[in-house]
Amino acid sequence: MAVDEGVAPAAGTTGQGAVHRLKPNAVGLLGVVFMAVATAAPITAMTGNVPFMVSSGNGIGAPASYLVAMVVLAIFSVGFTSMAKHITSTGAFYGFISYGLGRTIGLASGLLATFAYVVFEPALIGIFSVFAETTLKDQTGVSVPWWVFAVLMLGINAMGTWFGVSVAEKLLVVLLATEVTVLAAMAVSVAFHGGGPHGFTFGPVNPVNAFQGTSAGLGLFFAFWSWVGFESTAMYGEESRDPKKIIPKATMISVLGVGVFYVFVSWMAIIGNGEKEAVAAASSANPLAMFFNPTEQYVGHWAVVIMQWLMITGSLACGMAFHNCAARYMYALGREGVLPSLQRTVGRTHPNHGSPHIAGLVQTVVSGVLLAAFAVAGKDPYTGTYVLLAILGTMAILVVQAVCSFAVLAYFRSHHPESRHWFRTLVAPLVGGVAMLAVVVLLVSNMAVAAGPESGSFVLRATPWIVALVAVGGIVYAQYLKHRAPERYALLGRTVLEETKER
């Protein structure tokens, strides 16, 4: 293979030529795990989602929501990783669904997944900019407009993708390690002090309480939302060492590791305040007090100061991971010539770094345009840009996850009888798919509450229609290719890593 030059024959194609390849053996197991966990942004998920879940969702049952979500996602991952052992493709969902349910559904799903990650980055830039602006002003008195930080993050993300996954991995390792450490310090300190003012209470982790409270559906949705992007492990298969082993392991580590961490940290935050006191803090004008109070009491004020700064770096890490995901989905679609012009642009890789550099630049431009459009429309970068785009992207990716589960079912009905298993390739993907559809229903039924002050926004009302339009557009275009350009249709979702081709 001529990977050093960024070009290699396309395995699984019809011999239509060469495609540009990503740099092989660039990242190991821990690197893939860090990239996937970064999309979850633990400190943003905890400080941003948990107070809202406690105040407006299932109350003290928020940790139990994470427990339920972890079980469901672990079941989903059983089928997902079974397929990852046979197919290695940067397209991840796009490739998996194309092999399982056919090229037409595969292209529709690939466009939906690409769309989701494209809008996730500007969403995270919005919340990063607000965190940076407010923290800098509160702690130094210096006032800098939010858009300055937005431009800074756009530049950092573009640079990380340009120089390859190994550079992004190094940055994310540092950012993730620090945010996980400060959250763990709070949680462990509460545990060592006997569990807070009322001692250890186990109501927060009782699974029954996940379905109680003001709006159990909203709480469960936010729990699932906190994991968005965990499946991105499959995107790094072509750049990882021994992907058939690394990707399944990395996926399960990401789901279970993040899950245990979420349950423990949210549980300790609640009992560190006291159950009633936690609800009061989460419902106050400063909901972050739910985390700041036990951190200050059991660790020290210095940890609160650090936590505020790490909320900035955590959202930066999450946005960077989403940028990498969006670029790789664009690249996966581009290298197969979904549109001929894409093969010569976003479907190319850097000759030295083996990175999807053009796709990364395109993603940077798209993110910048979306941020500018929301700013011109007068949307607040947090309550407007972040919330609306996050809901839009989450709906798209949850639909794709559900479809992927059914693709696993279909794939193993006609492929690899030696790998078929009553649980791994039948029950797990079936349960996972149905559960994911249920989460989509939770999202649709709780969208207005989740959007808060933007509940009447046109973007929010249009969200289900936008998702449907992208999916239908993919189906229609795939059928067009099937009848007018069958040689290009034949390539959809079929470009996989040569050494680890579908087998």
Side-chain angles (χ1 to χ4, degrees):
M1 292 181 69
V3 179
D4 290 341
E5 289 74 39
V7 182
T13 70
T14 57
Q16 296 296 315
V19 296
H20 279 241
R21 288 296 193 186
L22 298 168
K23 185 178 181 180
N25 302 316
V27 63
L29 174 62
L30 289 180
V32 175
V33 170
F34 275 118
M35 296 295 286
V37 174
T39 62
I43 198 165
T44 305
M46 290 290 93
T47 59
N49 292 352
V50 174
F52 191 69
M53 293 164 69
V54 170
S55 63
S56 305
N58 33 28
I60 64 164
S65 292
Y66 284 113
L67 189 60
V68 170
M70 178 177 67
V71 172
V72 170
L73 291 172
I75 292 173
F76 164 84
S77 297
V78 169
F80 183 75
T81 55
S82 295
M83 204 159 183
K85 293 175 182 177
H86 293 282
I87 297 174
T88 300
S89 171
T90 297
F93 285 142
Y94 169 48
F96 288 8
I97 294 171
S98 294
Y99 272 96
L101 296 176
R103 294 167 175 84
T104 297
I105 303 300
L107 180 59
S109 300
L111 290 177
L112 270 179
T114 304
F115 173 77
Y117 284 110
V118 164
V119 302
F120 278 143
E121 183 187 358
L124 266 295
I125 290 176
I127 196 172
F128 163 83
S129 302
V130 171
F131 284 163
E133 179 186 23
T134 55
T135 300
L136 189 66
K137 186 174 182 179
D138 290 346
Q139 296 194 13
T140 69
V142 178
S143 182
V144 178
W146 71 267
W147 60 264
V148 173
F149 297 106
V151 172
L152 174 64
M153 185 168 173
L154 281 170
I156 293 173
N157 289 350
M159 181 185 69
T161 301
W162 184 280
F163 289 106
V165 68
S166 60
V167 172
E169 174 200 355
K170 291 179 176 64
L171 289 171
L172 291 175
V173 165
V174 175
L175 297 177
L176 276 174
T178 50
E179 65 178 275
V180 167
T181 298
V182 73
L183 286 170
M186 179 278 294
V188 171
S189 294
V190 171
F192 279 158
H193 281 83
H198 308 300
F200 275 100
T201 56
F202 295 90
V205 288
N206 182 345
V208 173
N209 288 330
F211 304 94
Q212 307 292 328
T214 306
S215 176
L218 182 66
L220 285 165
F221 160 65
F222 269 91
F224 281 94
W225 188 357
S226 301
W227 259 279
V228 164
F230 77 91
E231 81 295 333
S232 63
T233 50
M235 296 180 199
Y236 301 102
E238 294 185 23
E239 299 162 274
S240 66
R241 308 176 193 111
D242 196 4
K244 298 301 182 192
K245 293 182 179 179
I246 281 182
I247 301 309
K249 287 181 181 178
T251 304
M252 294 307 296
I253 290 173
S254 299
V255 170
L256 298 177
V258 167
V260 170
F261 184 79
Y262 282 169
V263 172
F264 180 59
V265 170
S266 58
W267 180 24
M268 291 301 105
I270 289 173
I271 67 172
N273 284 279
E275 291 184 3
K276 292 183 179 178
E277 294 86 344
V279 174
S283 305
S284 70
N286 180 25
L288 290 175
M290 183 182 156
F291 281 88
F292 291 163
N293 289 344
T295 300
E296 177 140 10
Q297 180 176 353
Y298 298 106
V299 184
H301 180 70
W302 63 270
V304 174
V305 174
I306 291 176
M307 184 177 286
Q308 288 178 291
W309 288 102
L310 291 181
M311 287 167 61
I312 302 173
T313 60
S315 55
L316 172 63
C318 185
M320 185 184 300
F322 282 138
H323 180 88
N324 275 278
C325 292
R328 278 159 179 77
Y329 263 117
M330 285 186 189
Y331 159 76
L333 290 167
R335 69 180 178 182
E336 293 179 345
V338 172
L339 290 173
S341 58
L342 296 182
Q343 202 164 29
R344 301 187 296 271
T345 53
V346 298
R348 297 178 65 86
T349 53
H350 194 283
N352 297 322
H353 306 303
S355 62
H357 62 306
I358 298 177
L361 290 177
V362 170
Q363 170 60 18
T364 298
V365 172
V366 172
S367 293
V369 169
L370 284 173
L371 286 166
F374 273 74
V376 170
K379 298 297 183 184
D380 181 84
Y382 181 18
T383 60
T385 305
Y386 168 68
V387 171
L388 291 174
L389 290 180
I391 290 174
L392 177 59
T394 299
M395 180 175 290
I397 205 68
L398 287 175
V399 169
V400 176
Q401 286 179 359
V403 174
C404 186
S405 286
F406 299 119
V408 174
L409 276 173
Y411 180 75
F412 283 101
R413 283 188 63 189
S414 55
H415 295 74
H416 306 292
E418 77 284 358
S419 297
R420 291 174 197 161
H421 186 271
W422 69 270
F423 180 72
R424 291 193 300 270
T425 61
L426 179 60
V427 175
L430 180 61
V431 172
V434 172
M436 288 299 165
L437 289 176
V439 179
V440 173
V441 173
L442 287 177
L443 170 55
V444 173
S445 59
N446 289 282
M447 276 199 315
V449 180
E454 292 292 339
S455 58
S457 167
F458 169 77
V459 174
L460 185 74
R461 294 196 304 271
T463 288
W465 300 104
I466 294 172
V467 172
L469 182 63
V470 173
V472 171
I475 291 172
V476 171
Y477 187 65
Q479 287 301 300
Y480 167 81
L481 290 178
K482 184 176 182 179
H483 293 95
R484 295 298 182 90
E487 71 285 352
R488 279 161 53 202
Y489 179 79
L491 297 180
L492 296 181
R494 292 307 195 268
T495 303
V496 296
L497 186 61
E498 188 175 56
E499 300 96 321
T500 53
K501 58 183 177 293
E502 191 274 333
R503 60 186 182 186

